[in-house]
Amino acid sequence: MADFSESEWEHRRISVGELELHVVLAGPEEGPLVVLLHGFPELWYAWRLQIGPLAAAGYRVAVPDLRGYGESDKPEGVEAYSRPRLTADVAELIAALGYERAHVVGHDWGGAVAWMVAMYRPEVVERLVILNAPHPRAFAKHLRRPGQLARSWYMFFFQLPWLPEALIRAGDYRLIRRVLHDEARRPGGFSEADVERYVEAAARPGALTASINYYRSAIRDSWRSIFRPPRPESGDRRDRTVRAPTLVIWGEQDSFLTPPVADPGTRWVPDLRVERLPSAAHWVQVDEPERVNALLLEHLGG
């Protein structure tokens, strides 16, 4: 198999609706499409250890900076980061690349977006892979439990205006640096050069508020379902079952998510496989890249 190195990856700006996303592309243009979606506070570079192996296996790999992140456009306002906008970005990116369907892989917030794409735009998802990102409905249930609620305090802190941004910027983005270093379980998982790329991305004008607006929008949309189950006559009655074959890869040492959150159950995801990695934490694709890559290739190959 060919070896695709970073020097061979293409950087392109691609229009999706009314904005442009910065996208890194690798692998043969005729290969099956895999879209990799990063989390918070990251950018496309979060998948640096997966792009090459996937491309070398014959996949066309597309790795966007999500809207608001990195070099992608950063629309203003909380509503710009609502579920319909985020899911449309992925569906329109797949179409812009000349495909009808793609394998969709997401970690953290990218995993949340991937879940939503599979639920609301199932026609564009071939196979789904989720890394340390809870299913939205399962997460709403777990957030009513003290253990997970305590770990998710920051989601509610992020609802405040300007203060979260000020805290993250303090001390030359000390909080981002600490979270990356402390949560990684593989020695040297994040080099100083890696961390600087994350900090530089977060420091771009508008990027920090945009990334926090994901949390602001999500909490506003799901406030009722988090704290009390919806009444039978309320809410969206349409079937939101994830029909795509789904692999969940879960680092069990995650400081932000309790282990039970990993498995949404077959009620919402009938074709489900959960692989727990006991020694990995939240940055599971950095902690155990070889194992994650092997699982990805196995699942995507069917």
CSV table of all heavy atoms in Angstrom, one decimal, residues 34 45 50 61 123-124 135 152 172 203 215 234 238 240 281 295:
chain,number,residue,atom,x,y,z
A,34,VAL,N,-14.2,8.8,3.5
A,34,VAL,CA,-14.2,8.8,4.9
A,34,VAL,C,-14.1,10.3,5.4
A,34,VAL,O,-13.1,10.9,5.0
A,34,VAL,CB,-13.1,8.0,5.6
A,34,VAL,CG1,-13.2,8.0,7.1
A,34,VAL,CG2,-13.1,6.5,5.1
A,45,TYR,N,-6.2,18.7,12.7
A,45,TYR,CA,-4.9,18.0,13.1
A,45,TYR,C,-5.1,17.0,14.1
A,45,TYR,O,-4.3,16.1,14.4
A,45,TYR,CB,-4.0,19.1,13.6
A,45,TYR,CG,-2.6,18.7,13.9
A,45,TYR,CD1,-1.7,18.4,12.8
A,45,TYR,CD2,-2.1,18.6,15.2
A,45,TYR,CE1,-0.4,18.0,13.0
A,45,TYR,CE2,-0.7,18.3,15.4
A,45,TYR,CZ,0.1,18.0,14.3
A,45,TYR,OH,1.4,17.6,14.6
A,50,GLN,N,-4.4,9.2,12.0
A,50,GLN,CA,-5.3,8.3,11.3
A,50,GLN,C,-5.4,8.6,9.8
A,50,GLN,O,-5.7,7.7,9.0
A,50,GLN,CB,-6.8,8.5,11.8
A,50,GLN,CG,-7.0,7.9,13.2
A,50,GLN,CD,-6.2,8.5,14.3
A,50,GLN,OE1,-6.3,9.7,14.5
A,50,GLN,NE2,-5.6,7.7,15.1
A,61,VAL,N,-9.9,10.5,2.1
A,61,VAL,CA,-10.1,11.0,3.4
A,61,VAL,C,-10.3,12.5,3.4
A,61,VAL,O,-9.5,13.2,2.8
A,61,VAL,CB,-8.8,10.6,4.3
A,61,VAL,CG1,-9.1,11.1,5.8
A,61,VAL,CG2,-8.5,9.1,4.3
A,123,GLU,N,-29.3,9.2,5.0
A,123,GLU,CA,-29.1,8.9,3.6
A,123,GLU,C,-27.7,9.1,3.1
A,123,GLU,O,-27.2,8.6,2.1
A,123,GLU,CB,-30.1,9.6,2.6
A,123,GLU,CG,-29.8,11.1,2.5
A,123,GLU,CD,-30.3,12.0,3.6
A,123,GLU,OE1,-30.8,11.5,4.6
A,123,GLU,OE2,-30.1,13.2,3.5
A,124,VAL,N,-26.9,9.9,3.9
A,124,VAL,CA,-25.5,10.2,3.5
A,124,VAL,C,-24.5,9.4,4.3
A,124,VAL,O,-23.3,9.5,4.0
A,124,VAL,CB,-25.2,11.7,3.6
A,124,VAL,CG1,-26.2,12.6,2.9
A,124,VAL,CG2,-25.1,12.1,5.1
A,135,HIS,N,-24.1,9.2,22.6
A,135,HIS,CA,-25.3,9.4,21.8
A,135,HIS,C,-26.2,10.4,22.5
A,135,HIS,O,-26.3,10.4,23.7
A,135,HIS,CB,-26.1,8.0,21.8
A,135,HIS,CG,-27.3,8.0,21.0
A,135,HIS,ND1,-28.5,8.6,21.4
A,135,HIS,CD2,-27.5,7.5,19.7
A,135,HIS,CE1,-29.4,8.5,20.5
A,135,HIS,NE2,-28.8,7.8,19.4
A,152,SER,N,-19.7,17.2,33.9
A,152,SER,CA,-20.1,18.0,32.8
A,152,SER,C,-20.3,19.5,33.2
A,152,SER,O,-21.0,20.2,32.5
A,152,SER,CB,-21.4,17.5,32.2
A,152,SER,OG,-21.2,16.2,31.6
A,172,ASP,N,-1.9,32.6,28.5
A,172,ASP,CA,-1.5,32.1,27.2
A,172,ASP,C,-2.2,30.7,26.9
A,172,ASP,O,-1.5,29.8,26.6
A,172,ASP,CB,0.0,32.0,27.0
A,172,ASP,CG,0.4,31.7,25.6
A,172,ASP,OD1,-0.4,31.9,24.7
A,172,ASP,OD2,1.5,31.1,25.4
A,203,ALA,N,-6.7,30.6,19.0
A,203,ALA,CA,-6.5,32.1,19.1
A,203,ALA,C,-6.9,32.9,17.9
A,203,ALA,O,-6.8,34.1,17.9
A,203,ALA,CB,-5.0,32.3,19.4
A,215,TYR,N,-21.6,24.5,22.6
A,215,TYR,CA,-22.2,24.1,23.8
A,215,TYR,C,-23.4,24.9,24.2
A,215,TYR,O,-24.4,24.4,24.7
A,215,TYR,CB,-21.1,24.3,25.0
A,215,TYR,CG,-20.0,23.3,24.9
A,215,TYR,CD1,-18.8,23.6,24.2
A,215,TYR,CD2,-20.1,22.0,25.4
A,215,TYR,CE1,-17.8,22.7,24.1
A,215,TYR,CE2,-19.0,21.1,25.4
A,215,TYR,CZ,-17.9,21.5,24.7
A,215,TYR,OH,-16.8,20.6,24.6
A,234,SER,N,-45.2,15.8,23.6
A,234,SER,CA,-44.2,16.8,23.1
A,234,SER,C,-43.0,16.2,22.4
A,234,SER,O,-42.8,15.0,22.5
A,234,SER,CB,-43.7,17.6,24.4
A,234,SER,OG,-42.9,16.7,25.2
A,238,ARG,N,-40.6,11.6,15.3
A,238,ARG,CA,-40.1,10.9,14.1
A,238,ARG,C,-39.0,9.9,14.6
A,238,ARG,O,-38.3,10.1,15.6
A,238,ARG,CB,-39.5,11.9,13.1
A,238,ARG,CG,-40.6,12.6,12.4
A,238,ARG,CD,-39.9,13.7,11.5
A,238,ARG,NE,-39.3,14.8,12.4
A,238,ARG,CZ,-38.7,15.8,11.9
A,238,ARG,NH1,-38.6,16.0,10.6
A,238,ARG,NH2,-38.2,16.7,12.7
A,240,ARG,N,-35.7,8.4,15.0
A,240,ARG,CA,-34.3,8.9,14.9
A,240,ARG,C,-33.3,7.7,15.2
A,240,ARG,O,-32.2,8.0,15.7
A,240,ARG,CB,-34.1,10.1,15.9
A,240,ARG,CG,-34.9,11.3,15.5
A,240,ARG,CD,-34.6,11.8,14.1
A,240,ARG,NE,-35.4,12.9,13.7
A,240,ARG,CZ,-35.6,13.4,12.5
A,240,ARG,NH1,-35.1,12.7,11.5
A,240,ARG,NH2,-36.3,14.5,12.3
A,281,ALA,N,-7.8,7.4,27.4
A,281,ALA,CA,-8.6,8.4,28.0
A,281,ALA,C,-9.4,9.1,26.9
A,281,ALA,O,-9.7,8.5,25.8
A,281,ALA,CB,-7.8,9.4,28.8
A,295,LEU,N,-9.1,-0.8,14.3
A,295,LEU,CA,-10.6,-1.0,14.5
A,295,LEU,C,-11.3,-0.2,13.4
A,295,LEU,O,-12.3,-0.7,12.8
A,295,LEU,CB,-11.0,-0.4,15.9
A,295,LEU,CG,-10.6,-1.3,17.1
A,295,LEU,CD1,-10.8,-0.5,18.4
A,295,LEU,CD2,-11.5,-2.6,17.1
